[in-house]
Amino acid sequence: MQRYLVGGAVRDSLLGYPFHERDWVVVGATPQQMLDLGYQQVGKDFPVFLHPETKEEHALARTERKSGKGYTGFTVYAAPDVTLEQDLLRRDLTINAIAQADDDSVIDPFGGVADIEQKILRHVSEAFAEDPLRVLRVARFYARYAHLGFSVAPETQVLMQQLSTELSTLTPERVWQETAKALSEQTPQAYFQLLYDTGALSVLMPELSALWGVPQPPKWHPEIDTGVHTLMVLQQATLLSPRIDIRFAALVHDLGKGVTKPELWPSHHGHEHSGLPLISQLCD
């Protein structure tokens, strides 16, 4: 039985970025062995345990196989014969598929360290396309690290585009959970820009996606495009306040401009009122 530090703690320590949680994967153990050692089981879908003293999460190494639609349609296999590399293979991005042993040695089978150095968000394997939630996760990590100069690998963006048809299987709660995390980052506008670029925004938040390509009067808005303007406002709100409700309000302040009749462009008289039902619709 061996345990390895995995995920965000390894990634952010390599980046020199602050982190607050440490997650572990345990190889070669059974649930009963963990219980005998005093760990408390908390995982419902697969074996996750809390350390008896630190309360840090320890998950048994596992594999996942697509067996249905959406982000819950997976068959999980967790047993002592699952290797560390097999467990890392199922993860979303290479920078999240790095492990660290108790002697501080780094296990990096998929080039995550190199991608950290090159500041690239890249999928680990083609299995990425089995889980639509990963579209939001990549966008959220982009919001987290864009200010450090990170970019998303073109081949990963292609897979994100292919996954857009499955995004409707995500529950509103799950979409908001990822969006709220993105809104709390330093560059939340990067989250929405990437979702727009990959076609995901038109599925998840069509009221917001409709703003791109809608012109505004150049005298007041030299950027002209309402989608571009909206993300500029979000960026400024982020500089002014850490509160995600304020940032969200900035994001949706101009939704009414998305339903202005084209023959009235670039004017948007009454958009403050026409946007109210759209805001309620998006929030629902």
Side-chain angles (χ1 to χ4, degrees), residues 8 17 32 52-53 55 82-83 117 122 139 205 210 225 227 253:
Y17 205 82
Q32 190 57 51
E53 295 175 5
K55 305 303 179 185
V82 178
T83 66
E117 292 171 349
R122 191 195 316 275
M205 304 177 192
D225 190 285
H253 82 282

Side-chain angles (χ1 to χ4, degrees), residues 95-158:
I95 67 169
N96 294 332
I98 310 169
Q100 184 176 315
D102 284 338
D103 63 1
D104 291 337
S105 60
V106 171
I107 300 92
D108 176 32
F110 306 109
V113 173
D115 281 343
I116 284 177
E117 292 171 349
Q118 296 172 35
K119 299 183 178 179
I120 295 175
L121 301 177
R122 191 195 316 275
H123 62 282
V124 174
S125 74
E126 295 303 308
F128 177 94
E130 296 177 349
D131 185 356
L133 182 63
R134 290 180 167 180
V135 173
L136 295 181
R137 280 180 56 82
V138 174
R140 175 164 64 81
F141 282 118
Y142 187 42
R144 183 176 174 86
Y145 299 123
H147 71 286
L148 297 179
F150 271 76
S151 63
V152 182
E155 62 270 26
T156 301
Q157 292 197 46
V158 169

Side-chain angles (χ1 to χ4, degrees), residues 68-87:
K69 284 192 171 184
Y71 69 101
T72 58
F74 289 90
T75 299
V76 176
Y77 175 75
D81 62 339
V82 178
T83 66
L84 175 63
E85 186 167 323
Q86 286 175 319
D87 182 273

Side-chain angles (χ1 to χ4, degrees), residues 202-216:
S202 63
V203 178
L204 297 172
M205 304 177 192
E207 304 86 356
L208 184 60
S209 181
L211 298 181
W212 272 262
V214 175
Q216 304 170 108

Side-chain angles (χ1 to χ4, degrees), residues 11-34:
R11 176 194 69 232
D12 286 341
S13 63
L14 290 170
L15 267 169
Y17 205 82
F19 62 91
H20 307 290
E21 296 180 356
R22 300 200 307 169
D23 295 317
W24 304 80
V25 65
V26 181
V27 178
T30 64
Q32 190 57 51
Q33 284 177 303
M34 299 296 287

Side-chain angles (χ1 to χ4, degrees), residues 155-183:
E155 62 270 26
T156 301
Q157 292 197 46
V158 169
L159 288 182
M160 292 173 71
Q161 289 173 327
Q162 293 172 0
L163 269 173
S164 62
T165 56
E166 272 203 71
L167 290 172
S168 58
T169 65
L170 299 176
T171 63
E173 293 83 1
R174 204 67 179 89
V175 173
W176 173 246
Q177 189 175 20
E178 295 297 321
T179 302
K181 289 178 181 177
L183 282 169

